[in-house]
Amino acid sequence: MTRWASFDVYGTLIDWNAGIGAALEALWGAERAPGLLRRYHQLEPEIQAEEFRSYAEILTLTLERLALEKGLTIPEGESGILARSLPDWPAFPEVPGVLAELRERGWSLALLSNTDRDLIAASQRQLGAPTDLAVVAEDVGSYKPAHGHWERFYELTTADRANHAHIGASLLHDIAPANELGLKSVWIDRGGSDSHAHGAEATPDVQLTDLTGLPDALDQLVPA
């Protein structure tokens, strides 16, 4: 039996608050950055829901709307700063070791991410451990919490849902759709401004503050 663990990437494996926050700080200063980051995370899902655009476009448009709403000016040539900086956004410190341990325990690993193919390739290099599959918004023409990522995952893997658990940091984008699909889920609640997005109604099977306890938690959810 193949056991699959699928992961959200940004906020779960990659520290996007560090990446986005650094860009906001560079543009508008350290004092403003935390409040702007909170509002950024509210705006991005709204823009994703409007019509399908590439994630690079989503990043740029969200930044532009944020600036417009707050009466801020983006320096010339800097509206694409988030997409340019994304390849350097770091993985959380525990991620390489945990992914490696999951592979040692026999788990197959998939990434289900609201991003573009070229951007996920850059982020995969940051993870420090190989994964078996990546499905991105560009592949399916929709953004989570829509079910397109999971539908493509099952097309490609023919995985048994009983042997699959999904792991994510966002109740809205990951845990709620996992609930709707009847999947086991682990919520990584890192306490960031994106974790409780829009007060989504969602109930994970397990809640952790980082990935450190994930291998044991997954082995309990889906025993070998």
Side-chain angles (χ1 to χ4, degrees), residues 129-208:
T131 53
D132 299 286
L133 175 70
V135 178
V136 296
E138 182 181 4
D139 298 333
V140 298
S142 65
Y143 285 95
K144 299 180 296 179
H147 294 175
H149 288 72
W150 287 273
E151 290 166 359
R152 179 64 58 86
F153 166 81
Y154 286 116
E155 286 173 15
L156 294 171
T157 64
T158 65
D160 183 342
R161 291 187 186 214
N163 300 328
H164 172 208
H166 184 67
I167 301 96
S170 172
L171 293 174
L172 171 71
H173 293 99
D174 291 281
I175 305 307
N179 287 172
E180 292 160 6
L181 291 162
L183 301 176
K184 299 176 182 74
S185 63
V186 180
W187 180 32
I188 308 302
D189 180 12
R190 296 184 183 273
S193 53
D194 53 312
S195 294
H196 303 264
H198 293 11
E201 293 287 328
T203 306
D205 293 288
V206 177
Q207 180 176 339
L208 302 171

Side-chain angles (χ1 to χ4, degrees), residues 9-10 14 86 111-127 134-136 139:
V9 176
Y10 301 106
I14 295 288
L86 185 148
L111 307 177
L112 307 185
S113 180
N114 279 348
T115 191
D116 303 333
R117 183 54 58 184
D118 60 332
L119 295 179
I120 200 67
S123 292
Q124 283 175 286
R125 291 191 286 273
Q126 297 283 353
L127 296 180
V135 178
V136 296
D139 298 333

